Amino acid sequence: QVQLVESGGGLVQAGGSLRLSCAASGRTYLTYTMGWFRQAPGKEREFVAAINRNGGSTYYTDSVKGRFTISRDNAQNTVYLRMNSLKPEDTAVYYCNAVPAVVGGTPLLDWGQGTQVTVSS
């Protein structure tokens, strides 16, 4: 079973940037489309972005289009989420997971611990 470890979160002012990382163990990582999710306090977990196995196809939810960029380095078994022009409403715990398709779907793996992103106004 692939294990996921997210990192890179922190406290940033509105308009700032962060880059999140998701390190995956196991060679089967290479076969997965990978996605980022987030969960704000009191809200359900939300699908944010995804990238297919070779990085040739990506998807973003409308609220982050033009501000977030998902990428992956298969040699390092790592998926990234570059977040620019951050807004207070981006505040959440961010998680990565494998998904059935680039447009989302039921996550396939156990959740990691996530990484907290807090955007101050």
Side-chain angles (χ1 to χ4, degrees):
Q1 174 75 313
V2 175
Q3 292 186 320
L4 304 167
V5 178
E6 300 91 347
S7 62
L11 173 62
V12 63
Q13 289 188 328
S17 299
L18 285 172
R19 189 181 78 157
L20 307 184
S21 299
C22 167
S25 64
R27 287 182 58 82
T28 53
Y29 154 84
L30 298 176
T31 69
Y32 289 122
T33 290
M34 295 296 295
W36 282 96
F37 297 76
R38 65 186 180 186
Q39 187 167 21
K43 295 187 177 181
E44 293 192 355
R45 197 167 293 178
E46 173 191 22
F47 176 58
V48 174
I51 186 167
N52 72 342
R53 290 178 291 179
N54 64 12
S57 181
T58 58
Y59 170 87
Y60 300 93
T61 194
D62 286 346
S63 61
V64 308
K65 279 181 183 176
R67 301 188 298 121
F68 289 12
T69 302
I70 189 171
S71 61
R72 68 191 293 165
D73 182 344
N74 287 343
Q76 298 295 324
N77 278 16
T78 303
V79 180
Y80 302 99
L81 186 68
R82 176 68 179 182
M83 306 186 295
N84 295 329
S85 302
L86 282 162
K87 304 175 181 180
E89 51 263 44
D90 295 319
T91 294
V93 180
Y94 284 71
Y95 303 86
C96 64
N97 210 316
V99 289
V102 74
V103 294
T106 302
L108 302 174
L109 304 172
D110 292 337
W111 294 102
Q113 83 289 350
T115 186
Q116 175 71 48
V117 172
T118 303
V119 185
S120 63
S121 57

